[in-house]
Amino acid sequence: MLTIDLAALADNYRDLCARARPAECAAVVKADAYGLGMAQAASALWRAGCRTFFVATIAEGIDLRTLLPDAVIYVLNGLMAGTAMTFQEHGLRPVLNSAAEVRDWAGYCARNRKALPCAVHLDTGMNRLGLSALDVDEIRDADELWEALALSLVMSHLACADDRAHAKNAQQRARFEALRALLPETLTSLANSAGILLGPDYHYDLVRPGVALYGGHPQRQGENPFRAVVHLMGRILQIRHATQGETVGYGATRTLQRPTRIAVVSAGYADGLFRALSAGDGETGLTAYLGPYAAPILGRVSMDLISVDVTEVPEAFCQRGAWVELLGPNVSAHTMAAQAGTIDYEVLTSLGTRATRRYIGG
Ligand SMILES: *Cc1c(COP(=O)(O)O)cnc(C)c1O
């Protein structure tokens, strides 16, 4: 069962607002709000005062528009050929990622005699989406383009903000300043969650946090300042006893070194527990918790099941039907990510659709 604490989400939003002030704090709700459920998350963020949202795709934008008729919604993946009318119909703002997209949007606006809002994304060193310096040069003096559309935001995206000591942060900031000075005056935005923690130099007019809202730890260094939003629990289906020398799970990767009490728990990789959290002989993997008691995983993660060692756990905590913490107060998304060799983002967005989602604090 996946419990999503909307009060913690709203707290994280207010915390980010306070850090970013006087800049406006938007919210990135792409990928179903990082797997937590866009409908519930976006509504909670709206109630907490958020008015500007970012999604990745038009489909996500259309869904969000039905939920929040008055929100400002930017679509990060930009303007695909032939979609301008869909943007207009749903009141979505494209993030224009190339000179060609700027021309397309300006052309659509000119044909319809309506200057529609949009963002321009500048590439400042990530080489992912956005106008290069050459693109900017090519269209900066094309007044007819800038007059046809309504530029409401100029933005860029940081590649290394999770490492506050990385030289690329200041480099990207300098490039952003230089490039945006060549475009018409409007609101500016550079920081994602980690960028907000880099301090006021990175805030500009609008910040765009995602992972921090959902309780992820945006930076590599230090304690996570944000509240956990997601709790993943599994149920004990069975308690079994095995003797020394027996093996546990697929591949028989784990041989028991002592008589062991095993709890078989109803959660597996189809629920977002990466197979990389398995623990064969000599390895450590996921540590689950029963109340305050740690229960290390034994052997491989299966699709729907894991086995954990409850030999040391008092019997009162490990009865058939009891709930086991897989992600929560004792196991952060950050810890799980480190254990699985990935990042908080992938942990959150992998939590799957099978688990019953329960929303609290809404
Ligand atoms: C996903 C995304 C964000 C949010 O990033 P976080 O690291 O989750 O805060 C901000 N801006 C852009 C362009 C993004 O793609």
Side-chain angles (χ1 to χ4, degrees):
M1 177 163 65
L2 200 59
T3 304
I4 293 141
D5 184 348
L6 297 174
L9 173 70
D11 271 357
N12 289 340
Y13 176 72
R14 285 185 285 263
D15 179 334
L16 289 157
C17 286
R19 288 170 194 270
R21 210 164 278 135
E24 179 189 348
C25 188
V28 180
V29 295
K30 62 195 180 189
D32 203 25
Y34 289 45
L36 310 195
M38 184 167 73
Q40 291 80 0
S43 305
L45 289 162
W46 176 269
R47 288 193 299 274
C50 184
R51 293 296 176 264
T52 303
F53 294 81
F54 289 81
V55 294
T57 67
I58 304 187
E60 292 173 347
I62 293 171
D63 284 351
L64 185 57
R65 177 55 76 213
T66 61
L67 290 164
L68 301 177
D70 300 319
V72 169
I73 302 174
Y74 287 101
V75 176
L76 291 165
N77 283 5
L79 185 66
M80 287 224 259
T83 60
M85 191 190 281
T86 311
F87 275 92
Q88 186 186 13
E89 267 170 22
H90 297 275
L92 305 174
R93 302 183 181 187
V95 174
L96 304 173
N97 288 311
S98 66
E101 288 184 30
V102 175
R103 278 201 211 88
D104 278 1
W105 190 247
Y108 180 81
C109 290
R111 284 193 299 282
N112 291 277
R113 298 180 194 293
K114 199 158 168 55
L116 296 164
C118 61
V120 162
H121 187 175
L122 301 171
D123 182 75
T124 52
M126 192 157 174
N127 271 306
R128 200 173 63 169
L129 292 175
L131 280 73
S132 65
L134 280 176
D135 286 330
V136 171
D137 254 356
E138 184 189 316
I139 59 170
R140 55 186 276 206
D141 296 323
D143 293 342
E144 74 285 359
L145 295 183
W146 303 112
E147 278 157 21
L149 50 73
L151 185 63
S152 54
L153 188 71
V154 172
M155 57 173 270
S156 188
H157 193 45
L158 296 164
C160 305
D162 61 330
D163 180 1
R164 48 166 61 252
H166 205 293
K168 191 141 187 132
N169 295 326
Q171 228 174 57
Q172 284 196 271
R173 202 174 83 81
R175 280 196 205 170
F176 183 57
E177 303 246 326
L179 287 176
R180 68 130 170 165
L182 305 175
L183 298 179
E185 186 69 26
T186 187
L187 298 181
T188 49
S189 174
L190 180 62
N192 62 344
S193 301
I196 294 168
L197 300 183
L198 293 179
D201 283 354
Y202 289 81
H203 294 170
Y204 294 93
D205 299 310
L206 180 100
V207 296
R208 311 184 308 268
V211 78
L213 292 167
Y214 311 110
H217 186 4
Q219 287 192 323
R220 292 195 223 163
Q221 299 96 342
E223 289 275 299
N224 184 357
F226 301 102
R227 285 185 62 187
V229 174
V230 188
H231 307 256
L232 179 65
M233 309 287 279
R235 277 192 117 168
I236 297 181
L237 300 179
Q238 200 174 95
I239 299 284
R240 51 192 311 131
H241 299 266
T243 56
Q244 184 175 359
E246 289 188 70
T247 64
V248 184
Y250 281 122
T253 59
R254 183 63 173 262
T255 303
L256 298 173
Q257 302 300 314
R258 58 172 183 180
T260 304
R261 188 150 47 103
I262 300 171
V264 182
V265 179
S266 68
Y269 57 76
D271 302 290
L273 295 180
F274 297 106
R275 223 164 145 274
L277 295 166
S278 303
D281 289 326
E283 297 169 345
T284 46
L286 174 77
T287 303
Y289 277 81
L290 294 102
Y293 298 99
I297 191 170
L298 294 167
R300 282 197 187 146
V301 177
S302 307
M303 187 184 294
D304 321 300
L305 299 168
I306 55 169
S307 296
V308 298
D309 185 345
V310 292
T311 313
E312 318 275 352
V313 178
E315 271 190 52
F317 283 86
C318 48
Q319 301 292 318
R320 178 175 153 223
W323 289 100
V324 177
E325 175 192 336
L326 303 164
L327 206 56
N330 293 294
V331 191
S332 68
H334 202 62
T335 306
M336 183 180 280
Q339 198 91 57
T342 180
I343 52 173
D344 304 28
Y345 301 72
E346 199 182 13
V347 167
L348 292 173
T349 54
S350 300
L351 288 173
T353 46
R354 177 164 63 184
T356 316
R357 289 181 187 175
R358 185 171 66 112
Y359 292 90
I360 60 170

